Every structure is written in structure tokens, then in C-alpha cells.
Amino acid sequence: MSIELLDLMARDGFEQIVALRDRRSGLRAFLAVHDTSAGPAFGGIRRWSYYDEHSALRDCMRLARGMTYKCALADLPAGGAKLVLLERSDLDLQSAYEFIGRTVEHFGGRFYTGPDVGTNAEQLGWVAQHTRFVTDPGAGGPGLLAEATSAGVVAGIGAALRHVDGNEDWPARTIVVQGLGEVGGRVAQSLRELGARVMASEIDAELARSFTAAHDLEALDPSAEFDQPCDVFVPCALGGILHDLSLTRLRCRIVAGAANNVLATPTHGDRLHERGVLYVPDFALNSGALIRGARFHIDGVREPVASIAQRIGVVVEQLLQRSTHEGLAPVRVAERSAEAWLARKHG
């Protein structure tokens, strides 16, 4: 098992993978550091009910590598990492996150962590009691990260529409947003304020009712989200949703959202490209929080949200232009760009 893991690390360029267990809290977790050749690794803490440890480790590694790719496309002096915490019924949450804080501190600034699925300001506060290398949920931190991510996603959607149709023309657009969490909700609200018709799906029925009513959105049954004809499908929940089955149902012209690892495999990006559906790679689009956090921790700068959105819009625009010029799916162009950036950093 260890030899297979080391081979996998070598193939995908990983520097370090740590299995974590804490007897007191019941914590079981994995921490993957993908690449620090350009600078410290950044990655949030994801707490999720995984099917098994293998699934958790695989997700951890995919997410960590994706963070490095985000740094590459955003040209940040940083790399990628991720910590995944296996949800358990007997988990002492506060004790577990305090243990994570002590673990992060031991890295001495080689790894910075922050929010992700299952980890919010309260949990980050527990982590921050034991390490300097975490996004401070208070006033002393880089600011609202979800705001930066959502603004970048909206800017990227605008760039995709201009690439396909020559203009954004928001009032003429029908957009389906999947997931109304902290980022997805902001994306949906922003798109509606721009004048688009926004249909939103959310598995939390009460959240779906209250949010759609408050922001003039149309509620969409999650079971029908792939079947709804629209201009843009915006995935803002979990990854891996575009697979063999969902691709046969998808009825949009553009896929662009905040979720990480939307494609089950890169091959599904090729298939979307062959069908004439423009898929904007997630790691080009959803890096707003990373940009804001990395700039703050490395440079001491709170980069304005408008600046971050403009930066991401330019990255997406250039990526799509290259995709057209080279005749390749955008995800392949983005991967090649990230790998070329890494090769330069490795010397």
C-alpha cells in the first residue's frame, strides 16, 4: 500500500501526505501538500462524510493538486494543499479543530489553511487559537473570502458569455445555479441583480424556500437541475457532478461555477467540448478566496474584490482564446498552462 501511494505521489507531483489521528477528539484526517516550489501551500479544511478512507484520501489529493493549479493560473507565489477531516458521529469538533491548529503550526508557515465545505468561522476560530497560519475569521484577517470567490465566478461567467456570444446581455440570460451555500448564494444573488433570470436548486428545502423568496429567484427541484434548458449551468456545491450520466441530461451552452473538481475526469471536459458546450475550468474560475488569502498572508495586502474579479475575468478570457486557437478543450489548455508554470518554478 505504501509503495503504491508513493508511486502515485511521484506521478502527480506531491511532496507530502500525512495521515492524522487524534485519540482525544476522535479525529481521522489526511493532509496533502502538493507543491511548494513557488511558495507556501494554501488549502482549506474540508469536513465531509466520506464513504471510506480511500475516498477521503483521493479527494484530498485531487483538491490539493487543484489548489496548485489555481496558484499557477493566478500566478501566485504559492502552491496547493488540502486537509480533509472525516466526519464521524463521535467526533469532538472543537477538540478536533484545535488539534488541526497545532498540526498546522508545526508546519511553520509552509502550509496555510482556511475555510472549505464543513468548516466555517466558528471552526476556524478554534484552529486560530493554536496557529498563526490560518485565515482569521475576525477583523484581523484578509476579509470575506466567499465574497471574493463569488465575484470571480461572476466575472468568469461574463467572460464566457462574451466569448460565446460577443456580449453578456444579462437580461436575456437564463442561468441555473446549483447550491445556495455561502458562495453559491452570493453568485445567484449577483446574477439576479445583473438582470438575469436565475433558477436555483438546493438540497436544503428550507434554505431553498427562504433564499429564493428573499432574492427573487426561481426555485428548481434538484432532481431537475441538469434537465433545465439554460444559457449557463453554475455548479456551486460538491465536485464530480459531470459524469457519464449527467452529461446526457445537461441542456446548457456554458458550464461555469464555484465548485471544485466539477468534472468526474478530464475526459468529460473533452466530451463537453466535442458537444459544443463551453466548460470553464473550475481552477481558473473559483480562485478568488485563494488570491485574497495568499496576497494577505504573503504580501500583507487586502486586494479589493473588484481587482480580484477583474484578474479572474482576464485569466478566463485568455484561456478561452487559447482554447479556440489551439482547438483543445479549455480544461486541457488550463492543465497545460498550469504544468508549464510549475515546470518553470521547478527550474
Side-chain angles (χ1 to χ4, degrees):
M1 177 64 180
S2 60
I3 295 176
E4 293 175 357
L5 179 57
L6 290 170
D7 286 344
L8 183 59
M9 290 174 65
R11 187 195 73 185
D12 291 339
F14 280 85
E15 296 178 3
Q16 187 174 8
I17 294 178
V18 182
L20 302 170
R21 175 181 173 270
D22 178 45
R23 182 182 295 107
R24 178 181 175 185
S25 65
L27 171 143
R28 292 178 178 232
F30 291 106
L31 169 58
V33 177
H34 181 251
D35 194 289
T36 59
S37 57
F42 285 80
I45 303 165
R46 174 165 295 200
R47 177 164 56 91
W48 189 250
S49 298
Y50 289 97
Y51 176 73
D52 55 23
E53 292 182 9
H54 176 75
S55 300
L57 177 58
R58 182 174 57 190
D59 194 35
C60 185
M61 294 178 72
R62 286 191 68 191
L63 291 165
R65 190 182 185 200
M67 290 297 289
T68 297
Y69 280 15
K70 290 184 191 184
C71 291
L73 294 185
D75 196 24
L76 293 171
K82 186 65 67 171
L83 194 153
V84 299
L85 171 59
L86 284 75
E87 181 71 283
R88 297 160 56 90
S89 60
D90 60 347
L91 186 65
D92 180 337
L93 275 185
Q94 181 168 347
S95 181
Y97 278 95
E98 289 179 354
F99 176 86
I100 289 172
R102 292 190 291 272
T103 300
V104 172
E105 182 66 20
H106 288 159
F107 276 77
R110 184 164 162 261
F111 167 51
Y112 285 83
T113 195
D116 203 310
V117 174
T119 300
N120 57 28
E122 181 180 25
Q123 288 88 52
L124 290 177
W126 295 332
V127 176
Q129 292 175 18
H130 299 275
T131 184
R132 300 159 287 167
F133 308 113
V134 62
T135 297
D136 186 341
L144 294 175
L145 300 184
E147 182 182 27
T149 300
S150 61
V153 170
V154 172
I157 293 172
L161 286 169
R162 292 193 301 273
H163 182 78
V164 170
D165 292 333
N167 60 70
E168 297 166 355
D169 194 12
W170 296 109
R173 308 301 182 183
T174 297
I175 300 177
V176 171
V177 177
Q178 179 199 49
L180 291 174
E182 192 170 7
V183 174
R186 289 176 182 271
V187 170
Q189 183 179 353
S190 296
L191 292 170
R192 184 69 190 101
E193 290 172 353
L194 287 168
R197 177 192 180 195
V198 179
M199 310 180 76
S201 65
E202 167 59 51
I203 59 173
D204 183 333
E206 179 54 38
L207 174 61
R209 282 192 294 270
S210 61
F211 197 95
T212 54
H215 299 288
D216 191 29
L217 312 178
E218 299 177 40
L220 182 64
D221 191 312
S223 66
E225 59 195 9
F226 294 115
D227 306 300
Q228 178 63 44
C230 60
D231 294 288
V232 190
F233 179 73
V234 186
C236 295
L238 292 176
I241 63 163
L242 295 184
H243 44 70
D244 290 347
L245 179 59
S246 61
L247 256 59
T248 64
R249 299 169 53 193
L250 203 59
R251 302 181 66 190
C252 64
R253 298 188 299 135
I254 298 169
V255 177
N260 288 310
N261 297 330
V262 175
L263 300 174
T265 69
T267 302
H268 292 94
D270 296 329
R271 290 172 57 185
L272 285 171
H273 184 65
E274 291 165 1
R275 284 178 46 189
V277 176
L278 180 64
Y279 170 70
V280 182
D282 51 89
F283 53 91
L285 188 66
N286 64 6
S287 57
L290 170 63
I291 294 171
R292 199 168 216 201
R295 289 295 314 282
F296 177 79
H297 288 295
I298 295 173
D299 303 322
V301 174
R302 290 187 178 90
E303 184 166 347
V305 169
S307 173
I308 293 171
Q310 182 181 28
R311 179 199 289 234
I312 291 173
V314 170
V315 167
V316 171
E317 183 176 343
Q318 293 175 345
L319 175 66
L320 298 182
Q321 288 174 351
R322 280 192 56 193
S323 171
T324 298
H325 178 71
E326 298 176 16
L328 294 173
V331 67
R332 299 299 186 182
V333 175
E335 288 174 341
R336 289 185 178 187
S337 297
E339 290 295 340
W341 183 89
L342 282 171
R344 292 193 297 271
K345 298 303 178 182
H346 294 159

